[in-house]
Amino acid sequence: QAALPQMRRSDATLGDELALVTAYLRLLQPRMGDRLRFAVDIPADLQGLAFPPTTLLTLVENAIRHGLDPLPNGGRVTVTAGIAADSLQIDVTDDGVGLGASMASGTGVGLVNVQRQLRASFGRAAALELLAAAPHGTTARIVVPLSALQRPQQQVAVAGGTG
């Protein structure tokens, strides 16, 4: 329910994504129990950056569905963000089954949608990469040059009065 209004927003931020992902993971916690461990670390100074809605949620859903669900003991999902080499870098990492097994179990629609959202928001400068995580698992990495990022326009309240 929280995701539906977020999907319609055109002014979402990385902080909004953080809240949505955290709520989703907490919602899954009772269903998965000890099979789901997670950490989300997005520095406060990056949370105001404009970011396409539900992009991180899609990557987290993929990590759980294709990486952790197939394992009897589940695993851990970690979402981190930071600045590296003049770019915003966001990683969604799981310690699940890994790229080979997880690629065989999905259709790739979620990843295609994430790529489309990144292109629509940041142009060709943004990239989505899938990397093998050590010792096993997958990292979905979003890289956006700082020059393509912006903070959403702030609403300015104008105080008025009658003289």
Side-chain angles (χ1 to χ4, degrees):
Q1 287 179 344
L4 289 176
Q6 187 78 356
M7 294 168 83
R8 295 184 184 107
R9 291 184 66 177
S10 60
D11 63 342
T13 64
L14 201 48
D16 296 329
E17 284 291 283
L18 167 69
L20 193 58
V21 164
T22 302
Y24 174 73
L25 291 167
R26 287 186 178 144
L27 182 68
L28 282 184
Q29 193 80 67
R31 178 179 73 87
M32 293 185 71
D34 291 341
R35 294 184 62 239
L36 174 61
R37 295 170 305 284
F38 64 88
V40 181
D41 182 19
I42 298 177
D45 62 330
L46 300 180
Q47 291 182 27
L49 296 173
F51 207 77
T54 70
T55 304
L56 291 185
L57 180 63
T58 300
L59 296 178
V60 169
E61 286 176 325
N62 275 355
I64 292 169
R65 177 177 294 142
H66 303 296
L68 303 186
D69 269 349
L71 296 175
N73 293 330
R76 181 177 183 84
V77 174
T78 305
V79 180
T80 58
I83 303 296
D86 295 328
S87 294
L88 171 66
Q89 179 177 305
I90 303 170
D91 288 349
V92 177
T93 301
D94 69 74
D95 62 359
V97 298
L99 274 176
S102 65
M103 298 290 273
S105 67
T107 62
V109 172
L111 295 176
V112 168
N113 286 338
V114 168
Q115 288 174 322
R116 285 182 182 156
Q117 286 179 288
L118 291 172
R119 285 267 162 87
S121 296
F122 306 117
R124 296 201 178 274
L128 171 65
E129 305 168 347
L130 292 181
L131 310 162
H136 48 83
T138 303
T139 296
R141 176 171 290 157
I142 294 173
V143 179
V144 182
L146 293 178
S147 60
L149 291 169
Q150 61 183 2
R151 296 189 184 272
Q153 300 228 345
Q154 300 291 322
Q155 300 272 338
V156 178
V158 178
T162 56

